[in-house]
Amino acid sequence: MTNPEQMLADLEWQIAMGADESLGETPGLVNWPIKPPKPSFSRRIDDSEIRDSAPFGNETTIETKGSPESFKYTSIQAYSQKPANLAPESGLSFRPKARTVEELRDELQKFEGCGLKTTAMNLVFADGNPEAPIMFIGEAPGEEEDRKGVPFVGVSGKLFDRMLAAAGFSRQNVYISNILFWRPPGNRTPTDAEIASCLPFVERHIALIKPKIIVPLGGVAAKNLLRTTEGITRLRGRWTTYTPHPDSGLDTPIPCLPTYHPAYLLRQVNAKRQAWNDIILLKKRLADNN
Ligand code: URA
């Protein structure tokens, strides 16, 4: 029989791993094979838990017990099912073979290389018009997106829709996806390994959509697409170029305009003006293209 201290530690661990709701009446239905050491993590702030007192931003994390490093270790050990997929020098050796967007979605459904899949409810692939000239790329699905399997349908998604509408766009004439295709448990910050496992799919996604313009929303998207360590405040509002990965099947660079993540704008209302300037730049470039 487990002692109360042990039970409390188990519960803490579950909460730390993002188990924020009970899905069944009977405990212990899922017997995780590996129990990581101590609950410790930093996590993204979910749309659904915006609090006035919380520091907010897409790169903001809430520190809880333990060090982020130990959580990184924990999550890679416990959830990355196929670390063997990782090529020693440069991310993944695995490359999706899909020739259409539908095939890519199917391939992701079968992909076992990202541990987030084991804790998420749904694959969150994309929304909008695959023929659209602009492809927006966010960070990762939150709770609402995970439930519905659609990107940007939570609180920040609502703001994003309003931004689109103000600029004369809608989901019918833009395309939307994320760097991560599954929700990180408890909306924690995705690990490098999780991002690396999804990135070849993102790159293939871009190659299949071939948008005229890519708009990374927030630092995680911007840094990973542009392969830079520069922060979003420096990257946003400046035209740059997305250089496709040589194995993605695309050989033409794509103009890229990073901007703030809508979740950041919900907290930093002053940044909305800058985001609006970015939208104007975007519209101007589109008009010049036509
Ligand atoms: N934040 C994101 O980056 N993507 C979503 O789909 C939802 C919230």
Side-chain angles (χ1 to χ4, degrees):
M1 169 114 168
T2 320
N3 66 40
E5 247 176 43
Q6 182 61 54
M7 287 167 75
L8 199 60
D10 287 351
L11 187 62
E12 274 183 356
W13 174 72
Q14 287 183 21
I15 293 167
M17 296 312 287
D20 47 12
E21 64 186 303
S22 161
L23 296 178
E25 305 250 313
T26 325
L29 287 177
V30 178
N31 193 12
W32 292 104
I34 302 167
K35 186 170 167 188
K38 260 278 177 201
S40 57
F41 70 119
S42 67
R43 64 192 181 117
R44 298 186 306 136
I45 301 171
D46 188 16
D47 288 350
S48 60
E49 52 176 317
I50 294 163
R51 284 185 295 273
D52 280 346
S53 58
F56 195 81
N58 117 312
E59 293 177 295
T60 302
T61 53
I62 300 174
E63 294 301 329
T64 60
K65 279 196 256 167
S67 71
E69 273 318 302
S70 56
F71 181 72
K72 214 172 194 179
Y73 166 82
T74 296
S75 71
I76 292 170
Q77 294 301 310
Y79 289 102
S80 283
Q81 298 174 345
K82 298 219 169 143
N85 267 354
L86 293 166
E89 66 296 348
S90 63
L92 294 187
S93 53
F94 182 84
R95 282 275 148 195
K97 292 161 196 63
R99 280 156 307 158
T100 64
V101 174
E102 292 71 32
E103 281 181 17
L104 189 68
R105 182 196 283 264
D106 290 349
E107 212 174 334
L108 267 169
Q109 291 281 18
K110 292 179 198 132
F111 182 58
E112 300 295 339
C114 178
L116 294 177
K117 188 179 180 179
T118 59
T119 48
M121 282 181 176
N122 282 303
L123 168 75
V124 179
F125 182 62
D127 195 23
N129 183 350
E131 308 287 322
I134 310 172
M135 181 170 183
F136 289 92
I137 303 183
E139 179 180 331
E143 187 180 357
E144 198 61 17
E145 289 80 16
D146 183 37
R147 275 183 202 285
K148 298 195 172 137
V150 181
F152 284 102
V153 288
V155 181
S156 68
K158 302 269 181 308
L159 174 62
F160 181 60
D161 283 343
R162 289 206 299 279
M163 285 164 65
L164 288 180
F169 299 128
S170 75
R171 292 195 183 217
Q172 273 75 58
N173 54 23
V174 303
Y175 191 69
I176 309 163
S177 189
N178 281 307
I179 294 287
L180 276 300
F181 296 96
W182 295 275
R183 179 195 183 198
N187 300 318
R188 64 162 169 74
T189 305
T191 65
D192 292 347
E194 287 156 357
I195 293 174
S197 67
C198 289
L199 216 46
F201 288 89
V202 177
E203 288 162 348
R204 186 69 188 142
H205 204 174
I206 293 171
L208 292 167
I209 295 291
K210 286 198 196 63
K212 287 201 169 81
I213 294 170
I214 295 174
V215 181
L217 297 169
V220 168
K223 284 178 190 173
N224 285 288
L225 290 172
L226 298 172
R227 303 178 196 99
T228 176
T229 52
E230 267 198 283
I232 188 65
T233 42
R234 291 179 69 86
L235 293 169
R236 65 140 283 277
R238 292 190 347 220
W239 281 105
T240 178
T241 305
Y242 164 76
T243 308
H245 189 284
D247 298 333
S248 70
L250 183 71
D251 48 21
T252 30
I254 299 179
C256 181
L257 183 69
T259 192
Y260 287 128
H261 193 286
Y264 177 79
L265 300 176
L266 284 170
R267 302 305 307 168
Q268 301 292 332
V269 279
N270 291 341
K272 281 186 181 171
R273 178 185 294 271
Q274 292 170 306
W276 183 244
N277 287 341
D278 300 345
I279 301 273
I280 291 170
L281 284 179
L282 187 63
K283 288 202 65 132
K284 190 166 176 324
R285 181 82 171 230
L286 263 187
D288 291 349
N289 274 354
N290 290 325

